[in-house]
Amino acid sequence: MKTTVQDVARRAGVSAGTVSNALTGKRHVAEATHRRILDAMEELGYQPNLMARGLVNQRSHVLSIVIKEFSDLGYYGYSSVLTGIQRKANQLGYSIMLHFVDGPSEEEIFATLNQVSAHRADGVLWVIHEIEGNRNWVRDIHPEKYPPIVFLHMHPDPALSVVSIDNQAGANMAVSHLIEQGCRTIGIITGPLDWWESQARLAGWKNALQQAGLDADSSLVVEGDWLADSGKTGMETLLDRRPDLDAVFASNDRMALGALHTARRRGLSIPEDLLLVGYDNTPEGASYWPPLTSVRQGLLQSGQIAVEDLHQRIESEINEQTAPRQHIIQPELIIRQSSMRSR
Amino acid sequence: MKTTVQDVARRAGVSAGTVSNALTGKRHVAEATHRRILDAMEELGYQPNLMARGLVNQRSHVLSIVIKEFSDLGYYGYSSVLTGIQRKANQLGYSIMLHFVDGPSEEEIFATLNQVSAHRADGVLWVIHEIEGNRNWVRDIHPEKYPPIVFLHMHPDPALSVVSIDNQAGANMAVSHLIEQGCRTIGIITGPLDWWESQARLAGWKNALQQAGLDADSSLVVEGDWLADSGKTGMETLLDRRPDLDAVFASNDRMALGALHTARRRGLSIPEDLLLVGYDNTPEGASYWPPLTSVRQGLLQSGQIAVEDLHQRIESEINEQTAPRQHIIQPELIIRQSSMRSR
DNA sequence: TTGTATGCGTTATCAA
DNA sequence: TTGATAACGCATACAA
């Protein structure tokens, strides 16, 4: 825990520089001395001090992940992204530091950004979903003051590095599928409408309906908050407003679960009376009754891509700025019984 | 991003030492110079370099969290713990580094342990559940080679700092509640039986039954793997084996969901024909049909306690070793309709 | 191939 | 109250 290169050097009867060379492999050391050094390190239980190394290398090999604090980690989506990030980061030799932002205040955002750059992280992964206006700070930023940043889950922006899922396409797939099943009156339970992703999914719903010449009236739209309870009440509202309702697209699986609950409570059978599709393809969805059709997002992949992009950016930053890149990932529809017309 | 104390010092017309004093507040600096320094920092956009600071202070103010890699983050339990950890850590001025262990191999464990100590983390939170034998490495460890470690979710051990939930008590509460509802034949779907927590919950089930003089036959025990699917098949098995079954205790909510699924498929009503209790009290449970009775673990609290303990240990380590402490948290039963005899 | 000297950005000690 | 100097642990340029 506290033995140094010097200690190892003394033990092996060489100089500190040689030990360093043996460690990094940047310059050749003789086979014999190399072995002596390795032995010495082993005996002394040497661990390199990454802070010292980072100090001289001007490179911490740390990636900072910024996430919205709280139960967010419990969302299937976030954890998938984190897993993807971790895998690729590990593969590329980065360690991961976790930062949490609680509220929407720019003050707090800059505080964590400062913390990030105080740690001299090599790069930042911004895993906070875009909500109306919560990206404005990006404009005010002094780019050279902070390490390169890649944004996940936000509206593509040519000025920024962004990795996103094509939410509109995903919703479109879901709704088109319902139309193919013969549905004519398809309601939607959205996420909070100040979220970019909610808006995009709503747009996909609308788009699919209009393409098919179907009703996309606002009476078919109910705003939820991602939680199951809002799926319950959303379904209530929809059923009350539109007795002719024959399908519902819930903007995530949790709300779909709530919708299922309400349908059941009201004596409605799914898929006999009503078809239902969710979004996220959480593992539990396959065990709902009936098993839930849902949209798989490819979040794990998005995490990996984000790290790759960031890595390139870090490496090339030494020479010159790389142009930001936009990565849009296509989702996939997983069809289960909740949307299968049983006829 | 790259202005230093020296730069600030020059700009403010003082020495580097004085800037440092102004920064840390350890020694007084005159009001006037203090202001000048603050101004200079502002103008130059100064950010302290935590690597350099850590190097001289021999203190990184970083806590390492070790978690089992993969979808584990998606489990409600893990994310709750992480949230608790983060809150307290932030409050105490620590940053958080995340490390993942994939398999059970000791080789991998020591690799991450080495990485942790290479970063010179001040302490470690071991958030990997105890599985048969995966704690053996603790015995082989050279304690002075690594920072202090607090273990979560493991069998209390007087030689280690441990923060755990009283799993046996939790299961006992769940099953006792079922007995009070008049159930006589109560099955259990366990987690993987090489997990300590699964064993403890099984013991709680058995204990409660025996106390009441009820059947705790092995025909009432089915082993699951925490996933919903195993809850489905587990319930099948139980129903096939014991036609007299009148209640089931599932060792987590996911498996309870699977059990619900099977009951439904077989035309059984819950709670009319069968009572059901889960474990974890995931938010979704309240939206299952029927809403699921479950055991709340207090995981958020356990994360906070773990950090507090670790913090004390870190602070006091400078003087002398503190004796390890065991923290056992009592769970709580949340009663919903799935266990309410409707009569 | 290896040793020596120097610097990375801070803080701490000792004088002033 | 402040300034100069050394030290933290490592890597590198240069010399040997």
Side-chain angles (χ1 to χ4, degrees):
Chain A
M1 180 84 179
K2 48 188 331 191
T3 62
T4 78
V5 163
Q6 288 289 356
D7 298 330
V8 176
R10 252 189 297 278
R11 191 84 163 78
V14 293
S15 79
T18 304
V19 173
S20 175
N21 289 337
L23 228 46
T24 63
K26 297 208 173 175
R27 254 163 274 287
H28 249 33
V29 326
E31 190 61 35
T33 49
H34 194 102
R35 180 177 316 286
R36 286 215 313 284
I37 291 174
L38 253 40
D39 287 349
M41 294 195 333
E42 179 71 24
E43 291 173 46
L44 298 172
Y46 170 76
Q47 284 299 331
N49 184 326
L50 263 32
M51 294 191 290
R53 186 178 284 178
L55 189 57
V56 37
N57 283 345
Q58 304 286 60
R59 193 97 148 56
S60 62
H61 284 277
V62 166
L63 258 31
S64 280
I65 300 181
V66 182
I67 188 175
K68 188 160 179 329
E69 125 106 333
F70 222 154
S71 48
D72 278 6
L73 239 27
Y75 276 94
Y76 176 65
Y78 287 92
S79 63
S80 306
V81 171
L82 274 204
T83 303
I85 290 176
Q86 189 278 323
R87 294 231 189 120
K88 185 57 77 181
N90 192 51
Q91 190 178 317
L92 293 174
Y94 292 103
S95 292
I96 283 178
M97 198 156 257
L98 211 50
H99 303 259
F100 291 77
V101 170
D102 208 346
S105 89
E106 298 210 350
E107 187 186 341
E108 201 188 346
I109 287 181
F110 282 109
T112 61
L113 231 29
N114 286 340
Q115 203 192 355
V116 163
S117 77
H119 278 290
R120 296 301 188 271
D122 290 342
V124 182
L125 294 148
W126 201 261
V127 195
I128 298 182
H129 287 74
E130 183 179 13
I131 300 181
E132 201 90 16
N134 78 343
R135 284 288 180 285
N136 292 341
W137 59 268
V138 175
R139 309 298 162 205
D140 313 338
I141 217 176
H142 252 319
E144 69 278 9
K145 211 177 144 186
Y146 300 104
I149 307 183
V150 171
F151 295 86
L152 287 91
H153 315 304
M154 74 172 276
H155 189 81
D157 179 329
L160 271 26
S161 269
V162 174
V163 181
S164 287
I165 312 292
D166 192 336
N167 281 276
Q168 181 162 349
N172 197 312
M173 287 167 58
V175 175
S176 297
H177 165 65
L178 289 171
I179 295 172
E180 279 167 25
Q181 297 293 305
C183 302
R184 316 293 318 269
T185 313
I186 305 176
I188 178 173
I189 303 174
T190 73
L193 284 175
D194 52 355
W195 285 53
W196 164 68
E197 288 171 283
S198 303
Q199 294 167 4
R201 291 175 200 176
L202 175 60
W205 167 84
K206 194 168 206 163
N207 191 255
L209 290 181
Q210 289 175 341
Q211 251 175 307
L214 291 176
D215 184 8
D217 190 75
S218 65
S219 65
L220 289 168
V221 179
V222 174
E223 180 174 357
D225 64 1
W226 300 129
L227 298 177
D229 264 346
S230 73
K232 288 187 196 171
T233 58
M235 185 63 136
E236 300 275 10
T237 308
L238 246 24
L239 288 171
D240 290 344
R241 290 211 287 233
R242 300 291 299 247
D244 57 333
L245 194 73
D246 58 13
V248 171
F249 167 54
S251 296
N252 76 354
D253 283 4
R254 289 191 169 190
M255 296 193 296
L257 176 62
L260 237 26
H261 187 100
T262 291
R264 175 81 192 261
R265 211 179 52 69
R266 289 197 158 202
L268 257 37
S269 279
I270 292 179
E272 286 76 12
D273 303 319
L274 208 61
L275 300 198
L276 179 67
V277 176
Y279 205 101
D280 273 353
N281 194 39
T282 54
E284 287 84 358
S287 295
Y288 292 169
W289 186 277
L292 184 67
T293 294
S294 193
V295 178
R296 204 185 79 88
Q297 302 217 58
L299 256 15
L300 201 125
Q301 187 196 359
S302 84
Q304 305 197 143
I305 291 179
V307 173
E308 270 170 5
D309 184 277
L310 192 51
H311 177 62
Q312 284 184 22
R313 188 159 256 80
I314 291 168
E315 294 284 295
S316 66
E317 202 194 25
I318 298 154
N319 312 328
E320 58 201 304
Q321 292 294 356
T322 319
R325 260 168 61 77
Q326 320 281 311
H327 304 266
I328 313 294
I329 296 169
Q330 291 306 315
E332 177 191 359
L333 186 67
I334 308 294
I335 299 177
R336 299 200 186 85
Q337 292 169 39
S338 74
S339 71
M340 283 162 51
R341 201 37 111 208
S342 47
R343 176 179 313 167
Chain B
M1 181 83 178
K2 47 190 328 193
T3 62
T4 77
V5 163
Q6 287 289 358
D7 299 330
V8 176
R10 251 190 298 278
R11 191 85 163 74
V14 293
S15 78
T18 305
V19 172
S20 175
N21 290 337
L23 227 47
T24 62
K26 297 208 174 177
R27 253 162 274 287
H28 248 34
V29 325
E31 189 60 35
T33 49
H34 194 102
R35 182 177 315 285
R36 286 214 313 284
I37 291 173
L38 253 42
D39 287 348
M41 294 195 334
E42 180 70 23
E43 292 173 47
L44 298 172
Y46 170 75
Q47 285 298 334
N49 185 326
L50 264 33
M51 293 192 291
R53 186 178 284 178
L55 188 57
V56 39
N57 283 345
Q58 303 285 58
R59 191 97 147 58
S60 63
H61 284 277
V62 166
L63 258 32
S64 280
I65 299 181
V66 182
I67 188 175
K68 188 160 178 330
E69 127 104 335
F70 223 154
S71 49
D72 278 6
L73 274 177
Y75 275 94
Y76 176 66
Y78 287 93
S79 65
S80 305
V81 171
L82 274 205
T83 303
I85 290 175
Q86 188 279 322
R87 293 230 188 120
K88 184 57 77 181
N90 193 50
Q91 190 178 316
L92 293 174
Y94 291 102
S95 291
I96 283 178
M97 199 156 255
L98 213 49
H99 302 258
F100 291 77
V101 170
D102 208 347
S105 88
E106 298 209 350
E107 186 185 341
E108 202 188 345
I109 287 182
F110 281 110
T112 61
L113 232 29
N114 286 340
Q115 203 191 356
V116 163
S117 76
H119 278 291
R120 295 301 188 270
D122 291 342
V124 181
L125 294 148
W126 201 261
V127 196
I128 298 182
H129 287 75
E130 183 179 13
I131 301 181
E132 202 89 15
N134 78 343
R135 284 288 181 284
N136 293 341
W137 57 269
V138 175
R139 311 296 163 205
D140 313 338
I141 216 175
H142 250 318
E144 68 277 10
K145 209 177 146 186
Y146 302 103
I149 308 182
V150 171
F151 295 86
L152 286 90
H153 315 304
M154 75 171 276
H155 188 81
D157 180 328
L160 270 27
S161 269
V162 174
V163 180
S164 286
I165 313 291
D166 192 336
N167 281 277
Q168 180 163 350
N172 197 313
M173 288 167 57
V175 175
S176 297
H177 164 67
L178 288 172
I179 295 172
E180 278 167 27
Q181 298 292 304
C183 301
R184 316 293 318 269
T185 313
I186 305 175
I188 178 172
I189 303 174
T190 72
L193 284 174
D194 51 356
W195 285 53
W196 163 69
E197 289 170 282
S198 302
Q199 293 168 4
R201 291 174 200 175
L202 175 59
W205 168 83
K206 193 167 206 163
N207 191 256
L209 290 180
Q210 289 174 341
Q211 249 174 306
L214 292 176
D215 184 7
D217 190 77
S218 67
S219 65
L220 289 167
V221 179
V222 174
E223 181 175 358
D225 65 1
W226 300 129
L227 298 176
D229 264 346
S230 73
K232 288 188 197 170
T233 57
M235 185 63 136
E236 300 275 9
T237 308
L238 245 24
L239 288 171
D240 290 344
R241 289 213 285 233
R242 302 291 300 245
D244 57 333
L245 194 73
D246 57 13
V248 170
F249 167 53
S251 295
N252 76 354
D253 282 5
R254 290 190 170 190
M255 295 193 297
L257 176 63
L260 238 25
H261 187 99
T262 292
R264 176 78 191 262
R265 212 178 52 70
R266 295 181 68 147
L268 258 35
S269 280
I270 292 178
E272 286 76 12
D273 302 320
L274 207 62
L275 301 197
L276 179 67
V277 176
Y279 206 102
D280 274 352
N281 194 39
T282 53
E284 287 84 358
S287 295
Y288 291 169
W289 186 276
L292 183 67
T293 294
S294 194
V295 178
R296 204 185 79 88
Q297 302 217 58
L299 256 15
L300 202 124
Q301 187 196 359
S302 84
Q304 305 198 142
I305 291 179
V307 173
E308 272 170 3
D309 184 276
L310 192 52
H311 178 61
Q312 283 184 22
R313 187 159 256 79
I314 291 168
E315 294 284 296
S316 66
E317 202 195 26
I318 298 154
N319 312 327
E320 59 201 303
Q321 291 295 356
T322 319
R325 261 168 60 78
Q326 319 282 311
H327 304 266
I328 312 294
I329 296 170
Q330 291 306 315
E332 177 191 359
L333 186 68
I334 309 294
I335 299 177
R336 299 201 186 85
Q337 292 168 39
S338 75
S339 71
M340 282 162 51
R341 199 40 108 206
S342 49
R343 180 172 308 168

